[in-house]
Amino acid sequence: TRLLSIGLIAGALVNAALAWAESTVNLGKVWAGFGLTDGRPFAFMANPVHLAALCVAALWLVLSREASHREPTPWLVAVALLVGATNLAGSRIALVLAALMVIGFAILLTRRKWWIHAGVLVAVATVGFGLSLLPGKSGDAGNSRVVSAPTSGIASRIEIWEHAAQATFDRPLLGWGPGRSYQATTPLRSVEAARSEGPEIIYRDMHNFLVEVLVGTGFLGFLAFGGWLVTASRRARGPLAGFAAVGAAVLMVQPALFMFAPLLTLALGAASADGDDAVRISRGLWSSRSLRIASTITVVIGLGAGVWLLAADSDYYRATTEQRLAPLDSWASKRSPWPEELSLTAKLWDAQATVQPTREAGRNAIRAERDARDRDPYDPRAWVAYGVLQQKWGSRAEARRAYVRSLQLNPWGVQALRNLLSMEAEDGDVAGVKRYRATLCEIGPDWCPSQAQVDASARAGTATGG
């Protein structure tokens, strides 16, 4: 547990230092994988939200070490680094938790009559926060988000959770399947959510790990998960338990993705074995030769799958940077379970068909996009992409069906609505034009096409033979 705690702190400090560098220097020019997302750093976590979650959870570990000493220690440098990185990452819940934790540990120090130490702790945390506000740092830091829009995002989350409740009662026992919560809730989005968050935005996670489990696995899965959580937590104690608790608090309003959630379960398991108890494992069936053989087979399969997916990712990256189809012809890319490789294949075939129009290239683009759609048939954007290619190189009727299906999955999809409006204008269907135009105008004036734009679409369709 001591080594695990040190490892978590070290990982958080490396990410925090990189976040400071990303916010100060344009690292994107050095390496495309580093930079800012909406003015916020993400370091190695690939998402600013999970960077903030890691930093604030590790802050608990650092503060626990700091509070065990009467005099201030070098750990205070880590406090400043983590507090500033949390603010730079722009997560409001993480920033509020960081402030509460610093105040709470300062109160603990004052109750021990360690007044100077408490004052130095608050001062150092304030300095770290203040340095993150200097010019040249992140333009969308956590403090600006708290001050400018303290309730922004709350309404959308409440609506998601309401839709999740409705979806759960539609499939109460086994749920919609792990990772399929968006399939259940996206068709239920209101026009208000489309206006505030963006009509094409899709929440693939319920932004609450308990709600996510409930929608994905139903009441039976939720009871099993709850039982595991209780038995795993009842003996947890010490700083690692605090790490898990703080991280779980963040995941009550943020997505629980693979970049961070496994660290919480690891810390929770380790927190259940304190220093005074020996960890005893039964010398029964599961410690026998059969277990070792099964474990070896599982490890080999896991390593093989990992190498396969890494090879597919490498091919995808090469094809993206080189804009060539050749890297995607490998066995790994063709057998990859993700839709991105096939979508990229469709885009490259489409580009080739546009430069040198051939029926075969267009058909290849349609075929690749159809296969990508079939890998994730509940993503409305996949149906739009398939419809666009059908409209260019295939069947207008099939394109229309694809757009309609996209609207069934996301009733406020602007691209599908615009393409259907254009097709209705080309066909001279006045009623259809009015229907789709009214829906676009309902979303907001920025999406509402003028009559001149509608007439231009109709003329363009007439000029090209519809």
Side-chain angles (χ1 to χ4, degrees), residues 315-316 318-328 341-355 361 364-365 368-369 389:
D315 294 336
Y316 178 78
R318 285 178 51 213
T320 302
T321 54
E322 299 172 9
Q323 289 295 293
R324 293 191 307 115
L325 282 164
L328 297 176
E341 284 84 357
L342 289 171
S343 292
L344 178 59
T345 301
K347 290 183 177 66
L348 294 176
W349 274 117
D350 180 43
Q352 182 173 319
T354 302
V355 175
N364 289 338
E369 193 61 58
L389 292 178

Side-chain angles (χ1 to χ4, degrees), residues 114-405:
W114 298 351
W115 306 101
I116 296 178
H117 193 173
V120 172
L121 172 61
V122 173
V124 168
T126 304
V127 169
F129 175 76
L131 290 176
S132 69
L133 303 179
L134 292 177
K137 298 296 187 295
S138 173
D140 198 12
N143 68 291
S144 63
R145 289 158 61 84
V146 170
V147 173
S148 63
T151 60
S152 175
I154 298 298
S156 61
R157 282 168 172 76
I158 292 176
E159 179 177 288
I160 292 173
W161 298 334
E162 291 174 348
H163 294 163
Q166 179 179 341
T168 299
F169 284 103
D170 289 339
R171 297 186 182 181
L173 292 181
L174 299 178
W176 293 76
R180 290 294 184 186
S181 56
Y182 76 97
Q183 170 191 343
T185 57
T186 302
L188 304 176
R189 291 186 74 207
S190 66
V191 67
E192 290 78 15
R195 291 169 183 161
S196 61
E197 300 291 332
E200 301 285 3
I201 294 296
I202 296 176
Y203 284 98
R204 289 185 169 270
D205 184 281
M206 295 296 94
H207 287 63
N208 181 303
F209 72 97
L210 296 177
V211 177
E212 178 71 20
V213 171
L214 181 61
V215 177
T217 62
F219 286 107
L220 293 180
F222 185 78
L223 288 174
F225 176 79
W228 167 80
L229 192 60
V230 170
T231 55
S233 304
R234 63 186 179 89
R235 295 183 66 249
R237 58 180 64 83
L240 286 174
F243 178 93
V246 172
V250 175
L251 297 190
M252 290 297 288
V253 293
Q254 298 291 2
L257 299 182
F258 71 94
M259 291 169 279
F260 180 63
L263 297 179
L264 300 184
T265 59
L266 180 63
L268 181 60
S272 298
D274 69 7
D276 298 328
D277 292 338
V279 179
R280 296 180 176 87
I281 301 176
S282 172
R283 299 293 298 177
L285 172 65
W286 299 111
S287 60
S288 64
R289 179 184 299 178
S290 61
L291 175 62
R292 291 193 293 271
I293 294 174
S295 298
T296 302
I297 294 174
T298 303
V299 168
V300 171
I301 293 174
L303 287 175
V307 171
W308 163 37
L309 293 177
L310 284 174
D313 281 350
S314 176
D315 294 336
Y316 178 78
Y317 179 76
R318 285 178 51 213
T320 302
T321 54
E322 299 172 9
Q323 289 295 293
R324 293 191 307 115
L325 282 164
L328 297 176
D329 288 335
S330 70
W331 180 89
S333 292
K334 289 182 177 180
R335 295 294 182 269
S336 169
W338 317 121
E340 283 81 6
E341 284 84 357
L342 289 171
S343 292
L344 178 59
T345 301
K347 290 183 177 66
L348 294 176
W349 274 117
D350 180 43
Q352 182 173 319
T354 302
V355 175
Q356 298 177 340
T358 63
R359 184 176 295 275
E360 183 63 25
R363 282 200 296 261
N364 289 338
I366 292 174
R367 187 181 304 111
E369 193 61 58
R370 181 180 63 243
D371 293 341
R373 178 207 68 190
D374 291 342
R375 288 184 178 180
D376 193 3
Y378 299 102
D379 186 347
R381 293 167 296 191
W383 284 94
V384 170
Y386 175 66
V388 169
L389 292 178
Q390 282 285 3
Q391 196 172 354
K392 289 176 66 175
W393 311 110
S395 164
R396 279 172 53 86
E398 186 66 20
R400 187 187 299 274
R401 284 193 290 270
Y403 296 144
V404 171
R405 176 55 179 159

Side-chain angles (χ1 to χ4, degrees), residues 1-10 65 240:
T1 57
R2 182 180 63 86
L3 292 176
L4 176 59
S5 178
I6 293 175
L8 290 172
I9 293 173
R65 290 173 175 269
L240 286 174

